[in-house]
Amino acid sequence: MIQDGRRVQVIERDLNMPNRIVGEVLLPGGYIKLIELGLEDCVDEIDAQQFLGYSLYKDGKETPISYPMEKFQSHISGRTSHNGRFVQRLRKKAASLHNVTLEQGTVTSLIEENGIVKGVHYKNESGQVLTAYAPLTIVCDGCFSNLRRSLCYPKVPSVSNGDMACYLKTLVAPKVFPEVYNSFISAIEKKGNIRIMPTKIMAAAPHLTPGALLIGDALNMRHPITGGGMTVALSDVVILRDLLRPLHDLFDAFTISKYLESFYTLRKPMSSTINILANVLQKVFSASSNPAMENMQHLSRVFETWRGLFIWNISNAIWFMPSSIKHSISFLFHCNIWYRPIVTSISFSQTLVGWG
């Protein structure tokens, strides 16, 4: 959108370089999306390393898992880097454009009039409360989004309004060991004692709201085991850019909202494939004393060794979407043949559509 000449105001909570405990992973498909956006130089000069695959270690044995990259040019691969350095490069790129205003501030709420989002209220660095108006507000405030509730049907209990405490007491507490039950309840009841680690899984359940669009981890999260989050995010940005490119007037909020409804359908082939894979692998390879899951892990390693490739290759390089795989049905076909016992064992509670 920025490169199409639109004026864009970006409000970021903190413009300092993020210092996260985890790194950043771009799958090969994500790097391709970066190229499509003209942002491939954002992985330059940040000590980013080429990412050619994975290795699984179990019982003293190593199983290499390489991406099938024979059909791609030599520079096409995944990239691993320091998250903060990558984010700063993206910010620098955006700030270099004359039609972009990059400002540090905390968005406190959306401005809504007659069911239409007109902009946001936010506090700047000095604490002054300001407003910003726009015909289209794109919300991408991450997994701890405080704006999510008005734009989707959230499945993550909120800590601030007491939903998380209620969830822990009613659904989790009955399942904990009797020896720690009282301590568990006591810890929940201590104010400010509930902390959340961002390893959430949340299916996309958007609520169409004229004037606003929800993307990124605020909309949809999968287990981070495969590092697919940034790849999904960049894919979403490419889809949204292509949808908005032919539009010259964004002020007819209801018409634009109906038009952008297709965004949530177009993102599913990429997002659902990565989401399903990440969530399945987390179930299969997480530590477990269950003999059935141990057998699943052994079956997986035998399959990997026998075929020489893993699920990434089965689906004809699913990370290289869209040129290689158009639908997650292909992925599910292979999962059904080789991993049918896994699907049976872990009792999926989400539908294919929901996982998108």
Side-chain angles (χ1 to χ4, degrees):
M1 293 191 300
I2 293 173
Q3 294 170 335
D4 292 336
R6 303 183 194 275
R7 289 190 298 114
V8 177
Q9 181 175 2
V10 181
I11 303 172
E12 284 247 34
R13 183 181 60 83
D14 188 352
L15 288 176
N16 293 312
M17 185 172 76
N19 184 16
R20 298 179 60 191
I21 191 172
V22 295
E24 188 62 72
V25 172
L26 261 186
L27 302 174
Y31 181 66
I32 290 174
K33 295 302 176 184
L34 207 63
I35 293 174
E36 291 181 28
L37 291 167
L39 301 174
E40 63 270 24
D41 59 340
C42 288
V43 294
D44 295 340
E45 301 176 7
I46 60 171
D47 197 28
Q49 304 297 311
Q50 281 197 314
F51 179 40
L52 304 176
Y54 299 80
S55 285
L56 295 181
Y57 295 88
K58 183 173 174 61
D59 300 329
K61 298 179 181 179
E62 176 185 359
T63 303
I65 306 167
S66 300
Y67 289 122
M69 305 173 65
E70 297 80 7
K71 297 180 181 179
F72 296 87
Q73 297 179 14
S74 59
H75 71 285
I76 300 295
S77 68
R79 295 292 193 278
T80 61
S81 64
H82 186 289
N83 169 268
R85 295 172 186 168
F86 180 59
V87 169
Q88 290 299 90
R89 288 284 289 180
L90 291 173
R91 288 171 175 167
K92 183 178 179 180
K93 189 81 169 183
S96 69
L97 301 175
H98 72 279
N99 53 327
V100 175
T101 301
L102 186 60
E103 183 177 358
Q104 182 164 302
T106 301
V107 176
T108 56
S109 63
L110 300 174
I111 301 172
E112 294 192 51
E113 298 177 8
N114 301 318
I116 300 175
V117 174
K118 298 289 188 177
V120 297
H121 295 294
Y122 70 101
K123 290 183 180 180
N124 64 11
E125 288 184 87
S126 62
Q128 183 181 7
V129 178
L130 303 172
T131 58
Y133 292 94
L136 180 62
T137 300
I138 297 178
V139 177
C140 47
D141 55 341
C143 63
F144 295 116
S145 172
N146 65 340
L147 304 174
R148 176 190 293 133
R149 288 189 170 273
S150 60
L151 300 176
C152 73
Y153 302 98
K155 295 183 174 64
V156 180
S158 170
V159 174
S160 60
N161 68 4
D163 285 351
M164 179 61 76
C166 180
Y167 174 83
L168 293 174
K169 286 181 180 179
T170 57
L171 295 179
V172 179
K175 300 177 182 179
V176 302
F177 295 116
E179 293 83 357
V180 299
Y181 179 85
N182 290 336
S183 298
F184 184 76
I185 294 296
S186 176
I188 295 172
E189 293 176 344
K190 289 182 181 178
K191 187 175 181 180
N193 206 38
I194 299 176
R195 297 184 180 183
I196 299 175
M197 290 297 292
T199 55
K200 300 178 181 178
I201 296 174
M202 186 180 74
H207 176 268
L208 295 179
T209 306
L213 191 73
L214 188 66
I215 65 172
D217 281 352
L219 169 68
N220 176 212
M221 289 176 276
R222 77 289 311 149
H223 195 278
I225 187 172
T226 59
M230 185 62 74
T231 295
V232 173
L234 291 172
S235 174
D236 284 354
V237 170
V238 169
I239 293 169
L240 185 58
R241 178 203 63 183
D242 293 344
L243 285 172
L244 292 175
R245 178 166 280 170
L247 304 180
H248 301 292
D249 183 1
L250 300 178
F251 284 91
D252 187 344
F254 286 99
T255 300
I256 297 299
S257 179
K258 188 64 178 177
Y259 171 74
L260 290 179
E261 185 176 356
S262 61
F263 165 76
Y264 297 107
T265 301
L266 293 172
R267 71 183 298 275
K268 287 186 183 297
M270 169 68 94
S271 63
S272 61
T273 302
I274 290 183
N275 292 353
I276 291 170
L277 178 59
N279 296 342
V280 167
L281 291 183
Q282 186 272 332
K283 290 288 186 180
V284 175
F285 289 104
S286 59
S288 174
S289 59
N290 186 335
M293 295 311 296
E294 287 284 336
N295 290 337
M296 294 300 171
Q297 294 174 7
H298 176 70
L299 172 65
S300 298
R301 292 195 70 257
V302 170
F303 176 50
E304 294 149 21
T305 303
W306 177 51
R307 292 293 297 267
L309 301 170
F310 193 40
I311 294 178
W312 288 271
N313 294 16
I314 298 173
S315 295
N316 191 18
I318 62 174
W319 304 128
F320 292 102
M321 176 73 188
S323 61
S324 298
I325 180 171
K326 299 296 183 183
H327 300 285
S328 53
I329 298 301
S330 172
F331 170 70
L332 290 178
F333 171 76
H334 289 288
C335 269
N336 187 51
I337 292 177
W338 299 104
Y339 283 81
R340 187 171 182 177
I342 296 173
V343 176
T344 304
S345 299
I346 65 179
S347 297
F348 288 107
S349 60
Q350 296 144 305
T351 64
L352 171 61
V353 173
W355 278 27

